[in-house]
Amino acid sequence: KQEVTQIPAALSVPEGENLVLNCSFTDSAIYNLQWFRQDPGKGLTSLLLIQSSQREQTSGRLNASLDKSSGRSTLYIAASQPGDSATYLCAVNSGYSTLTFGKGTMLLVSP
Amino acid sequence: GAGVSQTPSNKVTEKGKYVELRCDPISGHTALYWYRQSLGQGPEFLIYFQGTGAADDSGLPNDRFFAVRPEGSVSTLKIQRTERGDSAVYLCASSLRTGRKDNEQFFGPGTRLTVL
């Protein structure tokens, strides 16, 4: 059974810092991996999708990498801003179409 | 185009009552998914539809939970004899297709269910 772990559970940084969020998964036979953002009381916003054959994806200040063989992904956020404050969720698609989620990293960026 | 929409946004009910939660997927998306998110946890899969049929319902916790998608678009999640433990945010997602590495799921805002 696929299990997804996210470290750290919470992170607080001052505005402007570059930061890395980590995601690990137990079964490397995946189709893709998605990173989501969730604001308090809201649904999930898809940030990036990395296919199993890809090593990284970039969108603006966000860069996600994937090392399938070691079961790891990282989300890099450059020049963090207070508006980046949210919970970031990593989810793995193991080929059965449904997603297995981690518990998320709660990020607080202070001005 | 509009994203995934869910109604109601909030639902408060009493233990033992029946509830229905509705999901409108993105137009043209053939796959629809239901997830449940408890406080402080990531979403957990409940059921997914490919077209009108339930392709995988292995995540439904028990037979009090049922979902339909009669015309391959709107879906309704139905919960009978609600229990306090059913309290959670119920999330719906849709995707253009399944079984492909570029299959990206898009989520709705969720329905917060509170069972008193």
Side-chain angles (χ1 to χ4, degrees), chain A residues 7-47:
Chain A
I7 295 172
L11 182 63
S12 182
V13 299
E15 181 177 8
E17 275 204 7
N18 302 324
L19 55 98
V20 174
L21 309 181
N22 296 291
C23 171
S24 61
F25 45 96
T26 54
D27 185 348
S28 62
I30 66 170
Y31 263 38
N32 61 48
L33 184 147
Q34 270 185 270
W35 282 94
F36 294 89
R37 169 187 173 134
Q38 186 171 35
D39 293 285
K42 305 291 186 183
L44 278 62
T45 300
S46 181
L47 298 174

PDB file of all heavy atoms in Angstrom, chain A residues 7-47:
ATOM      1  N   ILE A   7       7.623  16.201   5.145  1.00  0.00           N
ATOM      2  CA  ILE A   7       8.446  16.797   6.180  1.00  0.00           C
ATOM      3  C   ILE A   7       8.930  18.159   5.707  1.00  0.00           C
ATOM      4  O   ILE A   7       9.313  18.297   4.548  1.00  0.00           O
ATOM      5  CB  ILE A   7       9.669  15.906   6.493  1.00  0.00           C
ATOM      6  CG1 ILE A   7       9.198  14.564   7.085  1.00  0.00           C
ATOM      7  CG2 ILE A   7      10.620  16.591   7.443  1.00  0.00           C
ATOM      8  CD1 ILE A   7      10.324  13.576   7.246  1.00  0.00           C
ATOM      9  N   PRO A   8       8.892  19.224   6.573  1.00  0.00           N
ATOM     10  CA  PRO A   8       8.361  19.181   7.939  1.00  0.00           C
ATOM     11  C   PRO A   8       6.842  19.295   7.955  1.00  0.00           C
ATOM     12  O   PRO A   8       6.240  19.613   6.938  1.00  0.00           O
ATOM     13  CB  PRO A   8       9.008  20.410   8.574  1.00  0.00           C
ATOM     14  CG  PRO A   8       9.116  21.388   7.434  1.00  0.00           C
ATOM     15  CD  PRO A   8       9.414  20.543   6.212  1.00  0.00           C
ATOM     16  N   ALA A   9       6.240  19.068   9.124  1.00  0.00           N
ATOM     17  CA  ALA A   9       4.797  19.231   9.247  1.00  0.00           C
ATOM     18  C   ALA A   9       4.413  20.700   9.235  1.00  0.00           C
ATOM     19  O   ALA A   9       3.322  21.064   8.780  1.00  0.00           O
ATOM     20  CB  ALA A   9       4.299  18.575  10.538  1.00  0.00           C
ATOM     21  N   ALA A  10       5.300  21.544   9.750  1.00  0.00           N
ATOM     22  CA  ALA A  10       5.046  22.985   9.763  1.00  0.00           C
ATOM     23  C   ALA A  10       6.369  23.715   9.591  1.00  0.00           C
ATOM     24  O   ALA A  10       7.427  23.220   9.983  1.00  0.00           O
ATOM     25  CB  ALA A  10       4.375  23.404  11.066  1.00  0.00           C
ATOM     26  N   LEU A  11       6.278  24.889   8.999  1.00  0.00           N
ATOM     27  CA  LEU A  11       7.477  25.664   8.703  1.00  0.00           C
ATOM     28  C   LEU A  11       7.122  27.144   8.772  1.00  0.00           C
ATOM     29  O   LEU A  11       6.117  27.572   8.195  1.00  0.00           O
ATOM     30  CB  LEU A  11       7.979  25.301   7.299  1.00  0.00           C
ATOM     31  CG  LEU A  11       9.252  25.963   6.784  1.00  0.00           C
ATOM     32  CD1 LEU A  11      10.430  25.576   7.669  1.00  0.00           C
ATOM     33  CD2 LEU A  11       9.507  25.523   5.337  1.00  0.00           C
ATOM     34  N   SER A  12       7.965  27.902   9.471  1.00  0.00           N
ATOM     35  CA  SER A  12       7.744  29.348   9.575  1.00  0.00           C
ATOM     36  C   SER A  12       9.021  30.051   9.138  1.00  0.00           C
ATOM     37  O   SER A  12      10.094  29.762   9.670  1.00  0.00           O
ATOM     38  CB  SER A  12       7.402  29.716  11.026  1.00  0.00           C
ATOM     39  OG  SER A  12       7.151  31.101  11.137  1.00  0.00           O
ATOM     40  N   VAL A  13       8.899  30.955   8.165  1.00  0.00           N
ATOM     41  CA  VAL A  13      10.076  31.628   7.622  1.00  0.00           C
ATOM     42  C   VAL A  13       9.764  33.102   7.435  1.00  0.00           C
ATOM     43  O   VAL A  13       8.600  33.505   7.275  1.00  0.00           O
ATOM     44  CB  VAL A  13      10.501  31.020   6.266  1.00  0.00           C
ATOM     45  CG1 VAL A  13      10.855  29.542   6.419  1.00  0.00           C
ATOM     46  CG2 VAL A  13       9.445  31.221   5.205  1.00  0.00           C
ATOM     47  N   PRO A  14      10.797  33.935   7.429  1.00  0.00           N
ATOM     48  CA  PRO A  14      10.588  35.351   7.112  1.00  0.00           C
ATOM     49  C   PRO A  14      10.472  35.537   5.606  1.00  0.00           C
ATOM     50  O   PRO A  14      11.018  34.753   4.811  1.00  0.00           O
ATOM     51  CB  PRO A  14      11.836  36.026   7.668  1.00  0.00           C
ATOM     52  CG  PRO A  14      12.886  34.971   7.630  1.00  0.00           C
ATOM     53  CD  PRO A  14      12.186  33.676   7.865  1.00  0.00           C
ATOM     54  N   GLU A  15       9.785  36.562   5.225  1.00  0.00           N
ATOM     55  CA  GLU A  15       9.593  36.875   3.811  1.00  0.00           C
ATOM     56  C   GLU A  15      10.941  36.969   3.088  1.00  0.00           C
ATOM     57  O   GLU A  15      11.917  37.498   3.620  1.00  0.00           O
ATOM     58  CB  GLU A  15       8.851  38.208   3.700  1.00  0.00           C
ATOM     59  CG  GLU A  15       8.547  38.660   2.287  1.00  0.00           C
ATOM     60  CD  GLU A  15       7.749  39.951   2.257  1.00  0.00           C
ATOM     61  OE1 GLU A  15       7.565  40.569   3.329  1.00  0.00           O
ATOM     62  OE2 GLU A  15       7.295  40.343   1.167  1.00  0.00           O
ATOM     63  N   GLY A  16      10.978  36.451   1.869  1.00  0.00           N
ATOM     64  CA  GLY A  16      12.173  36.556   1.047  1.00  0.00           C
ATOM     65  C   GLY A  16      13.037  35.315   1.045  1.00  0.00           C
ATOM     66  O   GLY A  16      13.892  35.150   0.163  1.00  0.00           O
ATOM     67  N   GLU A  17      12.849  34.433   2.019  1.00  0.00           N
ATOM     68  CA  GLU A  17      13.663  33.213   2.082  1.00  0.00           C
ATOM     69  C   GLU A  17      13.271  32.228   0.994  1.00  0.00           C
ATOM     70  O   GLU A  17      12.108  32.127   0.607  1.00  0.00           O
ATOM     71  CB  GLU A  17      13.513  32.535   3.437  1.00  0.00           C
ATOM     72  CG  GLU A  17      14.435  33.079   4.483  1.00  0.00           C
ATOM     73  CD  GLU A  17      14.698  32.074   5.586  1.00  0.00           C
ATOM     74  OE1 GLU A  17      14.273  30.918   5.480  1.00  0.00           O
ATOM     75  OE2 GLU A  17      15.323  32.475   6.564  1.00  0.00           O
ATOM     76  N   ASN A  18      14.268  31.472   0.536  1.00  0.00           N
ATOM     77  CA  ASN A  18      14.029  30.328  -0.337  1.00  0.00           C
ATOM     78  C   ASN A  18      13.794  29.121   0.571  1.00  0.00           C
ATOM     79  O   ASN A  18      14.457  28.987   1.602  1.00  0.00           O
ATOM     80  CB  ASN A  18      15.214  30.061  -1.253  1.00  0.00           C
ATOM     81  CG  ASN A  18      15.553  31.265  -2.106  1.00  0.00           C
ATOM     82  OD1 ASN A  18      14.675  32.004  -2.549  1.00  0.00           O
ATOM     83  ND2 ASN A  18      16.845  31.482  -2.334  1.00  0.00           N
ATOM     84  N   LEU A  19      12.876  28.247   0.211  1.00  0.00           N
ATOM     85  CA  LEU A  19      12.591  27.126   1.092  1.00  0.00           C
ATOM     86  C   LEU A  19      12.286  25.865   0.293  1.00  0.00           C
ATOM     87  O   LEU A  19      11.934  25.912  -0.887  1.00  0.00           O
ATOM     88  CB  LEU A  19      11.435  27.466   2.043  1.00  0.00           C
ATOM     89  CG  LEU A  19      10.140  27.927   1.404  1.00  0.00           C
ATOM     90  CD1 LEU A  19       9.175  26.754   1.314  1.00  0.00           C
ATOM     91  CD2 LEU A  19       9.502  29.061   2.202  1.00  0.00           C
ATOM     92  N   VAL A  20      12.435  24.730   0.994  1.00  0.00           N
ATOM     93  CA  VAL A  20      12.234  23.422   0.374  1.00  0.00           C
ATOM     94  C   VAL A  20      11.268  22.604   1.219  1.00  0.00           C
ATOM     95  O   VAL A  20      11.457  22.468   2.433  1.00  0.00           O
ATOM     96  CB  VAL A  20      13.572  22.665   0.236  1.00  0.00           C
ATOM     97  CG1 VAL A  20      13.325  21.245  -0.271  1.00  0.00           C
ATOM     98  CG2 VAL A  20      14.513  23.411  -0.695  1.00  0.00           C
ATOM     99  N   LEU A  21      10.259  22.063   0.582  1.00  0.00           N
ATOM    100  CA  LEU A  21       9.329  21.138   1.225  1.00  0.00           C
ATOM    101  C   LEU A  21       9.584  19.740   0.674  1.00  0.00           C
ATOM    102  O   LEU A  21       9.816  19.576  -0.531  1.00  0.00           O
ATOM    103  CB  LEU A  21       7.880  21.550   0.935  1.00  0.00           C
ATOM    104  CG  LEU A  21       7.508  23.003   1.216  1.00  0.00           C
ATOM    105  CD1 LEU A  21       6.039  23.249   0.916  1.00  0.00           C
ATOM    106  CD2 LEU A  21       7.841  23.381   2.646  1.00  0.00           C
ATOM    107  N   ASN A  22       9.554  18.761   1.569  1.00  0.00           N
ATOM    108  CA  ASN A  22       9.915  17.404   1.190  1.00  0.00           C
ATOM    109  C   ASN A  22       8.725  16.454   1.203  1.00  0.00           C
ATOM    110  O   ASN A  22       7.826  16.565   2.051  1.00  0.00           O
ATOM    111  CB  ASN A  22      10.973  16.863   2.163  1.00  0.00           C
ATOM    112  CG  ASN A  22      12.250  17.650   2.078  1.00  0.00           C
ATOM    113  OD1 ASN A  22      12.954  17.598   1.082  1.00  0.00           O
ATOM    114  ND2 ASN A  22      12.543  18.407   3.128  1.00  0.00           N
ATOM    115  N   CYS A  23       8.759  15.516   0.286  1.00  0.00           N
ATOM    116  CA  CYS A  23       7.719  14.501   0.174  1.00  0.00           C
ATOM    117  C   CYS A  23       8.401  13.179  -0.143  1.00  0.00           C
ATOM    118  O   CYS A  23       9.263  13.122  -1.031  1.00  0.00           O
ATOM    119  CB  CYS A  23       6.744  14.876  -0.941  1.00  0.00           C
ATOM    120  SG  CYS A  23       5.530  13.617  -1.382  1.00  0.00           S
ATOM    121  N   SER A  24       8.038  12.125   0.570  1.00  0.00           N
ATOM    122  CA  SER A  24       8.574  10.798   0.259  1.00  0.00           C
ATOM    123  C   SER A  24       7.434   9.809   0.129  1.00  0.00           C
ATOM    124  O   SER A  24       6.380   9.975   0.764  1.00  0.00           O
ATOM    125  CB  SER A  24       9.559  10.335   1.334  1.00  0.00           C
ATOM    126  OG  SER A  24       8.919  10.233   2.587  1.00  0.00           O
ATOM    127  N   PHE A  25       7.622   8.786  -0.685  1.00  0.00           N
ATOM    128  CA  PHE A  25       6.593   7.778  -0.915  1.00  0.00           C
ATOM    129  C   PHE A  25       7.237   6.404  -0.925  1.00  0.00           C
ATOM    130  O   PHE A  25       8.411   6.259  -1.283  1.00  0.00           O
ATOM    131  CB  PHE A  25       5.803   8.045  -2.209  1.00  0.00           C
ATOM    132  CG  PHE A  25       6.642   8.398  -3.406  1.00  0.00           C
ATOM    133  CD1 PHE A  25       7.017   7.424  -4.315  1.00  0.00           C
ATOM    134  CD2 PHE A  25       7.033   9.708  -3.625  1.00  0.00           C
ATOM    135  CE1 PHE A  25       7.772   7.753  -5.428  1.00  0.00           C
ATOM    136  CE2 PHE A  25       7.792  10.047  -4.733  1.00  0.00           C
ATOM    137  CZ  PHE A  25       8.175   9.068  -5.633  1.00  0.00           C
ATOM    138  N   THR A  26       6.479   5.396  -0.535  1.00  0.00           N
ATOM    139  CA  THR A  26       7.054   4.072  -0.282  1.00  0.00           C
ATOM    140  C   THR A  26       7.121   3.191  -1.529  1.00  0.00           C
ATOM    141  O   THR A  26       7.996   2.335  -1.618  1.00  0.00           O
ATOM    142  CB  THR A  26       6.247   3.341   0.796  1.00  0.00           C
ATOM    143  OG1 THR A  26       4.861   3.312   0.400  1.00  0.00           O
ATOM    144  CG2 THR A  26       6.382   4.047   2.136  1.00  0.00           C
ATOM    145  N   ASP A  27       6.238   3.376  -2.478  1.00  0.00           N
ATOM    146  CA  ASP A  27       6.207   2.547  -3.687  1.00  0.00           C
ATOM    147  C   ASP A  27       6.606   3.414  -4.879  1.00  0.00           C
ATOM    148  O   ASP A  27       5.888   4.350  -5.223  1.00  0.00           O
ATOM    149  CB  ASP A  27       4.806   1.958  -3.894  1.00  0.00           C
ATOM    150  CG  ASP A  27       4.733   0.984  -5.059  1.00  0.00           C
ATOM    151  OD1 ASP A  27       5.687   0.920  -5.853  1.00  0.00           O
ATOM    152  OD2 ASP A  27       3.698   0.297  -5.179  1.00  0.00           O
ATOM    153  N   SER A  28       7.737   3.094  -5.488  1.00  0.00           N
ATOM    154  CA  SER A  28       8.262   3.947  -6.567  1.00  0.00           C
ATOM    155  C   SER A  28       7.546   3.741  -7.902  1.00  0.00           C
ATOM    156  O   SER A  28       7.800   4.470  -8.857  1.00  0.00           O
ATOM    157  CB  SER A  28       9.759   3.682  -6.742  1.00  0.00           C
ATOM    158  OG  SER A  28       9.969   2.341  -7.110  1.00  0.00           O
ATOM    159  N   ALA A  29       6.651   2.779  -7.989  1.00  0.00           N
ATOM    160  CA  ALA A  29       5.918   2.529  -9.244  1.00  0.00           C
ATOM    161  C   ALA A  29       4.744   3.499  -9.349  1.00  0.00           C
ATOM    162  O   ALA A  29       3.594   3.135  -9.092  1.00  0.00           O
ATOM    163  CB  ALA A  29       5.428   1.080  -9.274  1.00  0.00           C
ATOM    164  N   ILE A  30       5.052   4.730  -9.730  1.00  0.00           N
ATOM    165  CA  ILE A  30       4.007   5.755  -9.789  1.00  0.00           C
ATOM    166  C   ILE A  30       3.812   6.236 -11.212  1.00  0.00           C
ATOM    167  O   ILE A  30       4.700   6.107 -12.058  1.00  0.00           O
ATOM    168  CB  ILE A  30       4.344   6.958  -8.881  1.00  0.00           C
ATOM    169  CG1 ILE A  30       5.584   7.697  -9.388  1.00  0.00           C
ATOM    170  CG2 ILE A  30       4.547   6.492  -7.439  1.00  0.00           C
ATOM    171  CD1 ILE A  30       5.830   9.021  -8.691  1.00  0.00           C
ATOM    172  N   TYR A  31       2.625   6.806 -11.467  1.00  0.00           N
ATOM    173  CA  TYR A  31       2.342   7.440 -12.761  1.00  0.00           C
ATOM    174  C   TYR A  31       2.773   8.901 -12.738  1.00  0.00           C
ATOM    175  O   TYR A  31       3.358   9.407 -13.667  1.00  0.00           O
ATOM    176  CB  TYR A  31       0.842   7.358 -13.066  1.00  0.00           C
ATOM    177  CG  TYR A  31       0.445   6.218 -13.965  1.00  0.00           C
ATOM    178  CD1 TYR A  31       1.054   4.979 -13.861  1.00  0.00           C
ATOM    179  CD2 TYR A  31      -0.556   6.373 -14.929  1.00  0.00           C
ATOM    180  CE1 TYR A  31       0.693   3.929 -14.671  1.00  0.00           C
ATOM    181  CE2 TYR A  31      -0.925   5.328 -15.745  1.00  0.00           C
ATOM    182  CZ  TYR A  31      -0.301   4.117 -15.615  1.00  0.00           C
ATOM    183  OH  TYR A  31      -0.678   3.077 -16.422  1.00  0.00           O
ATOM    184  N   ASN A  32       2.413   9.572 -11.671  1.00  0.00           N
ATOM    185  CA  ASN A  32       2.767  10.974 -11.533  1.00  0.00           C
ATOM    186  C   ASN A  32       2.647  11.405 -10.092  1.00  0.00           C
ATOM    187  O   ASN A  32       2.197  10.644  -9.219  1.00  0.00           O
ATOM    188  CB  ASN A  32       1.899  11.857 -12.443  1.00  0.00           C
ATOM    189  CG  ASN A  32       0.419  11.775 -12.142  1.00  0.00           C
ATOM    190  OD1 ASN A  32      -0.002  11.881 -10.993  1.00  0.00           O
ATOM    191  ND2 ASN A  32      -0.397  11.615 -13.176  1.00  0.00           N
ATOM    192  N   LEU A  33       3.076  12.622  -9.844  1.00  0.00           N
ATOM    193  CA  LEU A  33       3.019  13.215  -8.505  1.00  0.00           C
ATOM    194  C   LEU A  33       2.532  14.644  -8.667  1.00  0.00           C
ATOM    195  O   LEU A  33       2.982  15.369  -9.563  1.00  0.00           O
ATOM    196  CB  LEU A  33       4.410  13.170  -7.850  1.00  0.00           C
ATOM    197  CG  LEU A  33       4.522  13.672  -6.416  1.00  0.00           C
ATOM    198  CD1 LEU A  33       5.604  12.874  -5.678  1.00  0.00           C
ATOM    199  CD2 LEU A  33       4.842  15.148  -6.358  1.00  0.00           C
ATOM    200  N   GLN A  34       1.586  15.031  -7.827  1.00  0.00           N
ATOM    201  CA  GLN A  34       1.051  16.383  -7.862  1.00  0.00           C
ATOM    202  C   GLN A  34       1.327  17.097  -6.565  1.00  0.00           C
ATOM    203  O   GLN A  34       1.199  16.502  -5.476  1.00  0.00           O
ATOM    204  CB  GLN A  34      -0.480  16.370  -8.080  1.00  0.00           C
ATOM    205  CG  GLN A  34      -0.918  16.407  -9.527  1.00  0.00           C
ATOM    206  CD  GLN A  34      -2.419  16.516  -9.702  1.00  0.00           C
ATOM    207  OE1 GLN A  34      -3.140  15.533  -9.786  1.00  0.00           O
ATOM    208  NE2 GLN A  34      -2.897  17.757  -9.790  1.00  0.00           N
ATOM    209  N   TRP A  35       1.657  18.378  -6.670  1.00  0.00           N
ATOM    210  CA  TRP A  35       1.738  19.257  -5.510  1.00  0.00           C
ATOM    211  C   TRP A  35       0.532  20.179  -5.540  1.00  0.00           C
ATOM    212  O   TRP A  35       0.177  20.746  -6.585  1.00  0.00           O
ATOM    213  CB  TRP A  35       3.022  20.081  -5.541  1.00  0.00           C
ATOM    214  CG  TRP A  35       4.235  19.330  -5.111  1.00  0.00           C
ATOM    215  CD1 TRP A  35       5.130  18.668  -5.892  1.00  0.00           C
ATOM    216  CD2 TRP A  35       4.707  19.180  -3.762  1.00  0.00           C
ATOM    217  NE1 TRP A  35       6.114  18.105  -5.128  1.00  0.00           N
ATOM    218  CE2 TRP A  35       5.882  18.415  -3.820  1.00  0.00           C
ATOM    219  CE3 TRP A  35       4.255  19.628  -2.518  1.00  0.00           C
ATOM    220  CZ2 TRP A  35       6.612  18.079  -2.666  1.00  0.00           C
ATOM    221  CZ3 TRP A  35       4.972  19.298  -1.387  1.00  0.00           C
ATOM    222  CH2 TRP A  35       6.138  18.524  -1.464  1.00  0.00           C
ATOM    223  N   PHE A  36      -0.111  20.322  -4.351  1.00  0.00           N
ATOM    224  CA  PHE A  36      -1.282  21.170  -4.204  1.00  0.00           C
ATOM    225  C   PHE A  36      -1.037  22.197  -3.113  1.00  0.00           C
ATOM    226  O   PHE A  36      -0.243  21.990  -2.199  1.00  0.00           O
ATOM    227  CB  PHE A  36      -2.516  20.347  -3.786  1.00  0.00           C
ATOM    228  CG  PHE A  36      -2.996  19.364  -4.808  1.00  0.00           C
ATOM    229  CD1 PHE A  36      -2.504  18.071  -4.837  1.00  0.00           C
ATOM    230  CD2 PHE A  36      -3.969  19.714  -5.734  1.00  0.00           C
ATOM    231  CE1 PHE A  36      -2.962  17.143  -5.760  1.00  0.00           C
ATOM    232  CE2 PHE A  36      -4.441  18.786  -6.667  1.00  0.00           C
ATOM    233  CZ  PHE A  36      -3.925  17.506  -6.676  1.00  0.00           C
ATOM    234  N   ARG A  37      -1.794  23.254  -3.207  1.00  0.00           N
ATOM    235  CA  ARG A  37      -1.847  24.254  -2.149  1.00  0.00           C
ATOM    236  C   ARG A  37      -3.274  24.271  -1.601  1.00  0.00           C
ATOM    237  O   ARG A  37      -4.251  24.202  -2.364  1.00  0.00           O
ATOM    238  CB  ARG A  37      -1.502  25.620  -2.738  1.00  0.00           C
ATOM    239  CG  ARG A  37      -1.780  26.786  -1.822  1.00  0.00           C
ATOM    240  CD  ARG A  37      -1.598  28.101  -2.495  1.00  0.00           C
ATOM    241  NE  ARG A  37      -2.034  29.165  -1.608  1.00  0.00           N
ATOM    242  CZ  ARG A  37      -1.351  30.272  -1.399  1.00  0.00           C
ATOM    243  NH1 ARG A  37      -0.208  30.491  -2.041  1.00  0.00           N
ATOM    244  NH2 ARG A  37      -1.799  31.187  -0.564  1.00  0.00           N
ATOM    245  N   GLN A  38      -3.394  24.382  -0.262  1.00  0.00           N
ATOM    246  CA  GLN A  38      -4.709  24.468   0.368  1.00  0.00           C
ATOM    247  C   GLN A  38      -4.724  25.621   1.363  1.00  0.00           C
ATOM    248  O   GLN A  38      -3.963  25.613   2.330  1.00  0.00           O
ATOM    249  CB  GLN A  38      -5.092  23.157   1.070  1.00  0.00           C
ATOM    250  CG  GLN A  38      -6.509  23.149   1.605  1.00  0.00           C
ATOM    251  CD  GLN A  38      -6.947  21.794   2.104  1.00  0.00           C
ATOM    252  OE1 GLN A  38      -6.159  21.024   2.652  1.00  0.00           O
ATOM    253  NE2 GLN A  38      -8.233  21.465   1.932  1.00  0.00           N
ATOM    254  N   ASP A  39      -5.569  26.604   1.100  1.00  0.00           N
ATOM    255  CA  ASP A  39      -5.754  27.706   2.025  1.00  0.00           C
ATOM    256  C   ASP A  39      -6.791  27.300   3.073  1.00  0.00           C
ATOM    257  O   ASP A  39      -7.656  26.450   2.804  1.00  0.00           O
ATOM    258  CB  ASP A  39      -6.175  28.964   1.273  1.00  0.00           C
ATOM    259  CG  ASP A  39      -5.065  29.487   0.388  1.00  0.00           C
ATOM    260  OD1 ASP A  39      -4.118  30.075   0.935  1.00  0.00           O
ATOM    261  OD2 ASP A  39      -5.105  29.258  -0.842  1.00  0.00           O
ATOM    262  N   PRO A  40      -6.741  27.899   4.265  1.00  0.00           N
ATOM    263  CA  PRO A  40      -7.648  27.490   5.345  1.00  0.00           C
ATOM    264  C   PRO A  40      -9.102  27.500   4.917  1.00  0.00           C
ATOM    265  O   PRO A  40      -9.596  28.500   4.390  1.00  0.00           O
ATOM    266  CB  PRO A  40      -7.359  28.519   6.437  1.00  0.00           C
ATOM    267  CG  PRO A  40      -5.961  28.958   6.182  1.00  0.00           C
ATOM    268  CD  PRO A  40      -5.798  28.942   4.694  1.00  0.00           C
ATOM    269  N   GLY A  41      -9.801  26.403   5.139  1.00  0.00           N
ATOM    270  CA  GLY A  41     -11.216  26.317   4.816  1.00  0.00           C
ATOM    271  C   GLY A  41     -11.534  26.247   3.342  1.00  0.00           C
ATOM    272  O   GLY A  41     -12.699  26.388   2.949  1.00  0.00           O
ATOM    273  N   LYS A  42     -10.518  26.019   2.527  1.00  0.00           N
ATOM    274  CA  LYS A  42     -10.717  26.005   1.076  1.00  0.00           C
ATOM    275  C   LYS A  42     -10.376  24.644   0.486  1.00  0.00           C
ATOM    276  O   LYS A  42      -9.846  23.761   1.163  1.00  0.00           O
ATOM    277  CB  LYS A  42      -9.829  27.071   0.413  1.00  0.00           C
ATOM    278  CG  LYS A  42     -10.024  28.468   0.967  1.00  0.00           C
ATOM    279  CD  LYS A  42     -11.361  29.041   0.620  1.00  0.00           C
ATOM    280  CE  LYS A  42     -11.469  30.488   1.054  1.00  0.00           C
ATOM    281  NZ  LYS A  42     -12.822  31.050   0.788  1.00  0.00           N
ATOM    282  N   GLY A  43     -10.661  24.513  -0.817  1.00  0.00           N
ATOM    283  CA  GLY A  43     -10.290  23.298  -1.522  1.00  0.00           C
ATOM    284  C   GLY A  43      -8.827  23.317  -1.912  1.00  0.00           C
ATOM    285  O   GLY A  43      -8.049  24.138  -1.440  1.00  0.00           O
ATOM    286  N   LEU A  44      -8.452  22.385  -2.788  1.00  0.00           N
ATOM    287  CA  LEU A  44      -7.063  22.229  -3.210  1.00  0.00           C
ATOM    288  C   LEU A  44      -6.835  22.898  -4.562  1.00  0.00           C
ATOM    289  O   LEU A  44      -7.635  22.740  -5.481  1.00  0.00           O
ATOM    290  CB  LEU A  44      -6.721  20.743  -3.336  1.00  0.00           C
ATOM    291  CG  LEU A  44      -6.346  19.974  -2.083  1.00  0.00           C
ATOM    292  CD1 LEU A  44      -7.476  19.947  -1.090  1.00  0.00           C
ATOM    293  CD2 LEU A  44      -5.919  18.562  -2.438  1.00  0.00           C
ATOM    294  N   THR A  45      -5.735  23.608  -4.662  1.00  0.00           N
ATOM    295  CA  THR A  45      -5.323  24.212  -5.924  1.00  0.00           C
ATOM    296  C   THR A  45      -4.103  23.460  -6.436  1.00  0.00           C
ATOM    297  O   THR A  45      -3.097  23.364  -5.734  1.00  0.00           O
ATOM    298  CB  THR A  45      -4.974  25.703  -5.743  1.00  0.00           C
ATOM    299  OG1 THR A  45      -6.123  26.394  -5.247  1.00  0.00           O
ATOM    300  CG2 THR A  45      -4.524  26.320  -7.054  1.00  0.00           C
ATOM    301  N   SER A  46      -4.202  22.936  -7.656  1.00  0.00           N
ATOM    302  CA  SER A  46      -3.072  22.206  -8.230  1.00  0.00           C
ATOM    303  C   SER A  46      -1.961  23.189  -8.601  1.00  0.00           C
ATOM    304  O   SER A  46      -2.196  24.183  -9.277  1.00  0.00           O
ATOM    305  CB  SER A  46      -3.532  21.443  -9.483  1.00  0.00           C
ATOM    306  OG  SER A  46      -2.462  20.721 -10.047  1.00  0.00           O
ATOM    307  N   LEU A  47      -0.753  22.872  -8.133  1.00  0.00           N
ATOM    308  CA  LEU A  47       0.402  23.730  -8.421  1.00  0.00           C
ATOM    309  C   LEU A  47       1.242  23.168  -9.562  1.00  0.00           C
ATOM    310  O   LEU A  47       1.566  23.872 -10.519  1.00  0.00           O
ATOM    311  CB  LEU A  47       1.273  23.872  -7.170  1.00  0.00           C
ATOM    312  CG  LEU A  47       0.620  24.537  -5.959  1.00  0.00           C
ATOM    313  CD1 LEU A  47       1.557  24.461  -4.756  1.00  0.00           C
ATOM    314  CD2 LEU A  47       0.258  25.977  -6.269  1.00  0.00           C
TER     315      LEU A  47
END
